Amino acid sequence: MRPTVRRVDPRLQIMTEAIEGLIPGATPAFLTVEVTETLPGTGERRNTWTGRPDGLAERMFTALYGRPDAAEQLSPLARAEDAKRRRDLGGELSALIEGHTDLTSAPWYPARPGDLIHVHYEGAGESAAFGETYIIDAASHGFLTMRLLCHTLPDPDEASGMVGCFAVEDDPDPLMELWFEAGPHTLTIIRDGRPVHIGGAR
């Protein structure tokens, strides 16, 4: 069974967490932010804005990047399946072609031995959010293997049916299935200790 894959834009999440971190150890649900205009010399307050950390983070994000995408980000395969349900053959082909082009035109493509690939899964229903980390290794005949290094799913019974489903052996393009099914927005790819692809970043 493949886990459900959704992801919040990591830049918005980082901004929210940075604001929440202004009071170390505080419970985010109980935090508010207040911005006050104080007149010089008099100490008189004239205007005040009060809001939640996520509200302030969204204002900052919007000023820098435009409104965050409220729609759920979908993998290329999910977009193609949506178009197929609508009987939109052009949309289905476009989603698949765009997904392939996005991967193969990335400056870090193709994968290399030593690359680390982390995939993030949002929680769904009773399942907690978790992540998996894979490593690319050299295989025979110039092909590559992608094997699971670790995961963060705490329940071993649940993990046995969910983790490691994207591991492949002797594959000319080990990222293709993961890219299409999980989606680029869920992936973070590390090469030589540096991130070369950060999922969710526009």
Side-chain angles (χ1 to χ4, degrees):
M1 180 177 119
R2 304 273 188 188
T4 302
V5 179
R6 289 184 298 113
R7 191 157 189 184
V8 174
D9 190 301
R11 297 170 297 180
L12 181 57
Q13 188 172 347
I14 289 167
M15 287 179 183
T16 302
E17 290 172 359
I19 295 166
E20 292 170 348
L22 291 171
I23 302 178
T27 303
F30 302 144
L31 286 175
T32 58
V33 179
E34 182 177 285
V35 179
T36 304
E37 177 189 25
T38 304
L39 296 177
T42 65
E44 177 190 349
R45 290 183 173 191
R46 176 172 287 178
N47 296 302
T48 301
W49 178 90
T50 304
R52 295 192 35 76
D54 56 349
L56 177 57
E58 187 167 325
R59 283 176 176 245
M60 293 166 60
F61 185 98
T62 301
L64 289 168
Y65 309 111
R67 296 239 358 122
D69 185 2
E72 181 181 349
Q73 290 183 292
L74 298 175
S75 69
L77 188 59
R79 290 198 317 269
E81 288 172 350
D82 279 354
K84 186 176 183 178
R85 278 191 291 274
R86 296 189 311 268
R87 294 193 169 106
D88 176 6
L89 180 60
E92 182 182 357
L93 291 173
S94 176
L96 296 173
I97 291 168
E98 285 176 16
H100 183 269
T101 301
D102 287 346
L103 172 60
T104 57
S105 65
W108 46 264
Y109 179 86
R112 297 179 193 166
D115 286 355
L116 293 172
I117 293 88
H118 181 80
V119 57
H120 171 82
Y121 304 100
E122 287 292 336
E126 296 181 1
S127 298
F130 75 101
E132 296 179 302
T133 302
Y134 294 86
I135 188 167
I136 303 290
D137 289 324
S140 56
H141 309 296
F143 290 161
L144 297 170
T145 292
M146 186 167 71
R147 62 183 173 86
L148 179 69
L149 276 182
C150 61
H151 66 84
T152 60
L153 196 62
D155 183 348
D157 294 330
E158 192 178 10
S160 65
M162 295 181 73
V163 301
C165 58
F166 290 110
V168 294
E169 292 186 10
D170 295 326
D171 194 304
D173 201 339
L175 292 179
M176 190 67 70
E177 183 181 12
L178 180 59
W179 185 270
F180 268 79
E181 290 197 26
H185 60 288
T186 69
L187 305 179
T188 301
I189 300 174
I190 307 294
R191 175 171 294 161
D192 300 330
R194 295 180 180 271
V196 294
H197 172 82
I198 301 174
R202 296 182 190 134

